[in-house]
Amino acid sequence: MEVVIVPDATAGGELIAEAIAALLRRKPDALLGVATGSTPLPIYRALASKVASGAVDASRARICQLDEYVGLPAGHPESYRSVVLREVIEPLGLSEASFMGPDGAAEDVQAACEAYDRALAEAGGVDLQLLGIGTDGHIGFNEPCSSLASRTRIKTLTEQTRVDNARFFDDDIEQVPHHVITQGIGTILDARHPILLATGEGKAEAVAQTVEGPVASIVPASALQLHPHATVVVDEAAASKLKLADYFRATYAAKPGWQGL
């Protein structure tokens, strides 16, 4: 696991956007896994700016979802499909044909989960998967004590996650669904390059447990330690509880430029 400490969220977004741009230059039809929430927005803004300036061509990129609420009506503005269309697909000038995600409105949710796992494999696998992290260490919606070998499946959200997400539903927790479809931890680890971005002091403890703690299902993100090419990008606030912060700064400063992110 590589840990990169950046000054702030904007710098983190720019760094990761350049990694995506470099991937698209090598592989124009790369399959990019995207996350929702406020944390990845600087990435999407920086990437859209690169596309608009002609610094990278994203026209053949493919986009896939990390997770989706169960039970929201089609077209609901806070369904993750709607969010990805609004924050990623449209700014990059892509069409819905480039986009794939699980069906949170399916009658048979388990079949929809299995179908999405198959679809990712049939698409050649995810080249780069963006991740955020919850205050309890969850990635995707793999809540604490999720199996580290789990595949795409339905999950029940913890009360804390519903509280955290209420800000997207007019601060009304009653509007936040209780269930989601999420890529499992095993599914996430299939991605060739998972990149986790964490910003703010509120994520500092989860980051420290993820990076420096043991691999344990109580901190689902710690499974990234098992991946041969996982990157964790954190701002100074989110890095504030890392015991090895100075080491991480030194190793990144000495990294050969040709290695990229």
Side-chain angles (χ1 to χ4, degrees):
M1 176 186 290
E2 179 179 32
V3 180
V4 181
I5 301 173
V6 295
D8 51 34
T10 299
E14 179 61 36
L15 181 68
I16 296 171
E18 182 50 41
I20 296 171
L23 170 62
L24 291 174
R25 294 180 191 115
R26 297 191 307 271
K27 186 177 182 180
D29 65 345
L31 180 57
L32 307 175
V34 296
T36 53
S38 55
T39 299
L41 293 179
I43 304 172
Y44 305 142
R45 287 194 290 264
L47 185 59
S49 178
K50 290 179 185 297
V51 170
S53 70
V56 64
D57 179 4
S59 62
R60 293 172 57 193
R62 297 171 295 154
I63 306 295
C64 64
Q65 273 179 267
L66 181 62
D67 39 41
E68 180 59 276
Y69 285 118
V70 171
L72 289 184
H76 189 289
E78 294 307 324
S79 75
Y80 286 142
R81 183 180 187 90
S82 295
V83 172
V84 171
L85 289 174
R86 186 167 64 241
E87 296 178 350
V88 183
I89 299 295
E90 292 175 6
L92 295 183
L94 302 176
S95 70
E96 287 196 49
S98 67
F99 173 61
M100 57 191 297
D103 184 0
E107 290 187 12
D108 188 338
V109 176
Q110 182 58 37
C113 294
E114 295 169 1
Y116 189 51
D117 236 35
R118 286 196 304 273
L120 292 175
E122 290 168 0
V126 179
D127 292 294
L128 187 152
Q129 177 65 59
L130 297 175
L131 300 165
I133 187 170
T135 54
D136 58 4
H138 74 254
I139 49 173
F141 277 115
N142 296 286
E143 300 285 15
C145 292
S146 291
S147 165
L148 302 187
S150 55
R151 309 302 301 180
T152 299
R153 69 211 192 284
I154 186 171
K155 286 291 290 181
T156 301
L157 299 181
T158 65
E159 189 71 5
Q160 183 61 57
T161 297
R162 295 182 69 238
V163 168
D164 290 346
N165 285 7
R167 67 189 189 277
F168 300 113
F169 292 83
D170 299 321
D171 290 321
D172 180 4
I173 192 172
E174 296 305 318
Q175 295 186 45
V176 182
H178 285 269
H179 298 95
V180 291
I181 293 174
T182 184
Q183 286 188 34
I185 296 173
T187 309
I188 290 169
L189 293 180
D190 282 346
R192 295 178 183 87
H193 187 188
I195 301 180
L196 186 152
L197 175 63
T199 57
E201 188 176 358
K203 301 296 179 69
E205 182 61 32
V207 167
Q209 292 295 322
T210 293
V211 172
E212 297 176 340
V215 175
S217 62
I218 193 68
V219 183
S222 67
L224 293 174
Q225 294 181 35
L226 302 173
H227 196 283
H229 186 202
T231 303
V232 175
V233 178
V234 292
D235 69 359
E236 290 289 350
S240 61
K241 294 189 178 182
L242 289 173
K243 296 177 182 178
L244 297 176
D246 288 343
Y247 170 74
F248 297 137
R249 292 188 183 94
T251 54
Y252 185 69
K255 184 177 181 178
W258 54 263
Q259 282 189 327
L261 191 61

PDB file of all heavy atoms in Angstrom, residues 6-8 46 62 80 96 98 108 124 160-161 192 204 209 217 220:
ATOM      1  N   VAL A   6      -1.076  14.840   0.989  1.00  0.00           N
ATOM      2  CA  VAL A   6      -1.151  16.068   0.192  1.00  0.00           C
ATOM      3  C   VAL A   6      -1.627  17.213   1.080  1.00  0.00           C
ATOM      4  O   VAL A   6      -2.178  16.980   2.160  1.00  0.00           O
ATOM      5  CB  VAL A   6      -2.107  15.885  -1.010  1.00  0.00           C
ATOM      6  CG1 VAL A   6      -1.571  14.844  -1.985  1.00  0.00           C
ATOM      7  CG2 VAL A   6      -3.509  15.489  -0.526  1.00  0.00           C
ATOM      8  N   PRO A   7      -1.420  18.460   0.645  1.00  0.00           N
ATOM      9  CA  PRO A   7      -1.789  19.596   1.505  1.00  0.00           C
ATOM     10  C   PRO A   7      -3.283  19.692   1.793  1.00  0.00           C
ATOM     11  O   PRO A   7      -3.686  20.029   2.906  1.00  0.00           O
ATOM     12  CB  PRO A   7      -1.304  20.816   0.717  1.00  0.00           C
ATOM     13  CG  PRO A   7      -0.250  20.286  -0.200  1.00  0.00           C
ATOM     14  CD  PRO A   7      -0.680  18.897  -0.550  1.00  0.00           C
ATOM     15  N   ASP A   8      -4.097  19.423   0.775  1.00  0.00           N
ATOM     16  CA  ASP A   8      -5.539  19.625   0.958  1.00  0.00           C
ATOM     17  C   ASP A   8      -6.304  18.808  -0.074  1.00  0.00           C
ATOM     18  O   ASP A   8      -5.721  18.104  -0.906  1.00  0.00           O
ATOM     19  CB  ASP A   8      -5.898  21.108   0.842  1.00  0.00           C
ATOM     20  CG  ASP A   8      -5.349  21.760  -0.423  1.00  0.00           C
ATOM     21  OD1 ASP A   8      -5.281  21.076  -1.474  1.00  0.00           O
ATOM     22  OD2 ASP A   8      -4.973  22.949  -0.367  1.00  0.00           O
ATOM     23  N   ALA A  46     -11.331  18.189 -11.359  1.00  0.00           N
ATOM     24  CA  ALA A  46     -10.006  18.278 -11.981  1.00  0.00           C
ATOM     25  C   ALA A  46      -9.963  17.478 -13.278  1.00  0.00           C
ATOM     26  O   ALA A  46      -9.363  17.918 -14.272  1.00  0.00           O
ATOM     27  CB  ALA A  46      -8.936  17.780 -11.015  1.00  0.00           C
ATOM     28  N   ARG A  62     -14.993   4.100 -19.930  1.00  0.00           N
ATOM     29  CA  ARG A  62     -16.190   3.438 -19.414  1.00  0.00           C
ATOM     30  C   ARG A  62     -16.237   3.658 -17.898  1.00  0.00           C
ATOM     31  O   ARG A  62     -15.207   3.684 -17.248  1.00  0.00           O
ATOM     32  CB  ARG A  62     -16.155   1.939 -19.732  1.00  0.00           C
ATOM     33  CG  ARG A  62     -16.163   1.658 -21.244  1.00  0.00           C
ATOM     34  CD  ARG A  62     -15.896   0.180 -21.512  1.00  0.00           C
ATOM     35  NE  ARG A  62     -14.544  -0.203 -21.086  1.00  0.00           N
ATOM     36  CZ  ARG A  62     -14.189  -1.448 -20.731  1.00  0.00           C
ATOM     37  NH1 ARG A  62     -15.096  -2.417 -20.720  1.00  0.00           N
ATOM     38  NH2 ARG A  62     -12.947  -1.716 -20.377  1.00  0.00           N
ATOM     39  N   TYR A  80     -27.598   6.728  -6.693  1.00  0.00           N
ATOM     40  CA  TYR A  80     -26.212   6.902  -7.101  1.00  0.00           C
ATOM     41  C   TYR A  80     -26.058   6.915  -8.621  1.00  0.00           C
ATOM     42  O   TYR A  80     -25.117   7.510  -9.130  1.00  0.00           O
ATOM     43  CB  TYR A  80     -25.331   5.853  -6.436  1.00  0.00           C
ATOM     44  CG  TYR A  80     -25.110   6.154  -4.973  1.00  0.00           C
ATOM     45  CD1 TYR A  80     -25.071   5.153  -4.015  1.00  0.00           C
ATOM     46  CD2 TYR A  80     -24.976   7.473  -4.537  1.00  0.00           C
ATOM     47  CE1 TYR A  80     -24.885   5.450  -2.679  1.00  0.00           C
ATOM     48  CE2 TYR A  80     -24.794   7.776  -3.204  1.00  0.00           C
ATOM     49  CZ  TYR A  80     -24.744   6.768  -2.282  1.00  0.00           C
ATOM     50  OH  TYR A  80     -24.562   7.067  -0.952  1.00  0.00           O
ATOM     51  N   GLU A  96     -24.778   7.832 -21.531  1.00  0.00           N
ATOM     52  CA  GLU A  96     -25.163   6.762 -20.606  1.00  0.00           C
ATOM     53  C   GLU A  96     -24.715   5.398 -21.098  1.00  0.00           C
ATOM     54  O   GLU A  96     -24.603   4.463 -20.301  1.00  0.00           O
ATOM     55  CB  GLU A  96     -26.676   6.775 -20.390  1.00  0.00           C
ATOM     56  CG  GLU A  96     -27.165   7.931 -19.534  1.00  0.00           C
ATOM     57  CD  GLU A  96     -28.575   7.720 -19.013  1.00  0.00           C
ATOM     58  OE1 GLU A  96     -28.847   6.628 -18.475  1.00  0.00           O
ATOM     59  OE2 GLU A  96     -29.381   8.649 -19.152  1.00  0.00           O
ATOM     60  N   SER A  98     -21.887   4.556 -21.848  1.00  0.00           N
ATOM     61  CA  SER A  98     -20.562   4.263 -21.291  1.00  0.00           C
ATOM     62  C   SER A  98     -20.635   3.828 -19.829  1.00  0.00           C
ATOM     63  O   SER A  98     -19.606   3.539 -19.211  1.00  0.00           O
ATOM     64  CB  SER A  98     -19.676   5.513 -21.376  1.00  0.00           C
ATOM     65  OG  SER A  98     -20.169   6.534 -20.517  1.00  0.00           O
ATOM     66  N   ASP A 108     -35.634  -8.876  -7.926  1.00  0.00           N
ATOM     67  CA  ASP A 108     -34.744  -9.884  -7.354  1.00  0.00           C
ATOM     68  C   ASP A 108     -33.384  -9.228  -7.130  1.00  0.00           C
ATOM     69  O   ASP A 108     -32.541  -9.192  -8.019  1.00  0.00           O
ATOM     70  CB  ASP A 108     -34.629 -11.087  -8.293  1.00  0.00           C
ATOM     71  CG  ASP A 108     -33.870 -12.254  -7.672  1.00  0.00           C
ATOM     72  OD1 ASP A 108     -33.084 -12.029  -6.724  1.00  0.00           O
ATOM     73  OD2 ASP A 108     -34.052 -13.392  -8.141  1.00  0.00           O
ATOM     74  N   GLY A 124     -13.973  -6.967 -18.615  1.00  0.00           N
ATOM     75  CA  GLY A 124     -12.514  -7.010 -18.541  1.00  0.00           C
ATOM     76  C   GLY A 124     -11.955  -6.611 -17.194  1.00  0.00           C
ATOM     77  O   GLY A 124     -10.739  -6.555 -17.007  1.00  0.00           O
ATOM     78  N   GLN A 160     -24.893   4.880  11.894  1.00  0.00           N
ATOM     79  CA  GLN A 160     -23.921   5.951  11.692  1.00  0.00           C
ATOM     80  C   GLN A 160     -23.817   6.337  10.222  1.00  0.00           C
ATOM     81  O   GLN A 160     -23.739   7.525   9.883  1.00  0.00           O
ATOM     82  CB  GLN A 160     -22.544   5.542  12.217  1.00  0.00           C
ATOM     83  CG  GLN A 160     -21.493   6.638  12.096  1.00  0.00           C
ATOM     84  CD  GLN A 160     -21.868   7.878  12.879  1.00  0.00           C
ATOM     85  OE1 GLN A 160     -22.088   7.824  14.084  1.00  0.00           O
ATOM     86  NE2 GLN A 160     -21.962   9.021  12.213  1.00  0.00           N
ATOM     87  N   THR A 161     -23.828   5.337   9.343  1.00  0.00           N
ATOM     88  CA  THR A 161     -23.748   5.642   7.911  1.00  0.00           C
ATOM     89  C   THR A 161     -24.986   6.388   7.448  1.00  0.00           C
ATOM     90  O   THR A 161     -24.903   7.334   6.657  1.00  0.00           O
ATOM     91  CB  THR A 161     -23.564   4.349   7.097  1.00  0.00           C
ATOM     92  OG1 THR A 161     -22.314   3.746   7.471  1.00  0.00           O
ATOM     93  CG2 THR A 161     -23.550   4.631   5.610  1.00  0.00           C
ATOM     94  N   ARG A 192      -7.632  -3.410 -10.703  1.00  0.00           N
ATOM     95  CA  ARG A 192      -6.182  -3.395 -10.893  1.00  0.00           C
ATOM     96  C   ARG A 192      -5.499  -2.323 -10.028  1.00  0.00           C
ATOM     97  O   ARG A 192      -4.370  -2.506  -9.603  1.00  0.00           O
ATOM     98  CB  ARG A 192      -5.862  -3.175 -12.370  1.00  0.00           C
ATOM     99  CG  ARG A 192      -6.334  -4.342 -13.241  1.00  0.00           C
ATOM    100  CD  ARG A 192      -6.075  -4.126 -14.727  1.00  0.00           C
ATOM    101  NE  ARG A 192      -6.610  -5.237 -15.491  1.00  0.00           N
ATOM    102  CZ  ARG A 192      -7.861  -5.331 -15.934  1.00  0.00           C
ATOM    103  NH1 ARG A 192      -8.706  -4.331 -15.706  1.00  0.00           N
ATOM    104  NH2 ARG A 192      -8.276  -6.385 -16.603  1.00  0.00           N
ATOM    105  N   ALA A 204      -9.516  10.812  10.207  1.00  0.00           N
ATOM    106  CA  ALA A 204      -8.150  10.504  10.625  1.00  0.00           C
ATOM    107  C   ALA A 204      -8.031   9.152  11.323  1.00  0.00           C
ATOM    108  O   ALA A 204      -7.089   8.385  11.067  1.00  0.00           O
ATOM    109  CB  ALA A 204      -7.613  11.614  11.522  1.00  0.00           C
ATOM    110  N   GLN A 209      -6.311   3.391  11.196  1.00  0.00           N
ATOM    111  CA  GLN A 209      -6.613   1.974  11.352  1.00  0.00           C
ATOM    112  C   GLN A 209      -6.466   1.217  10.034  1.00  0.00           C
ATOM    113  O   GLN A 209      -6.006   0.076  10.003  1.00  0.00           O
ATOM    114  CB  GLN A 209      -8.030   1.806  11.896  1.00  0.00           C
ATOM    115  CG  GLN A 209      -8.219   2.278  13.325  1.00  0.00           C
ATOM    116  CD  GLN A 209      -7.410   1.448  14.306  1.00  0.00           C
ATOM    117  OE1 GLN A 209      -7.284   0.235  14.161  1.00  0.00           O
ATOM    118  NE2 GLN A 209      -6.849   2.097  15.315  1.00  0.00           N
ATOM    119  N   SER A 217     -11.788  -7.372   9.645  1.00  0.00           N
ATOM    120  CA  SER A 217     -13.094  -7.026   9.086  1.00  0.00           C
ATOM    121  C   SER A 217     -13.766  -5.894   9.849  1.00  0.00           C
ATOM    122  O   SER A 217     -14.653  -5.240   9.307  1.00  0.00           O
ATOM    123  CB  SER A 217     -14.007  -8.253   9.079  1.00  0.00           C
ATOM    124  OG  SER A 217     -14.241  -8.714  10.399  1.00  0.00           O
ATOM    125  N   PRO A 220     -13.114  -2.483   7.412  1.00  0.00           N
ATOM    126  CA  PRO A 220     -13.114  -3.076   6.082  1.00  0.00           C
ATOM    127  C   PRO A 220     -12.046  -2.529   5.139  1.00  0.00           C
ATOM    128  O   PRO A 220     -11.464  -3.275   4.345  1.00  0.00           O
ATOM    129  CB  PRO A 220     -14.526  -2.777   5.569  1.00  0.00           C
ATOM    130  CG  PRO A 220     -15.355  -2.715   6.818  1.00  0.00           C
ATOM    131  CD  PRO A 220     -14.472  -2.062   7.835  1.00  0.00           C
TER     132      PRO A 220
END
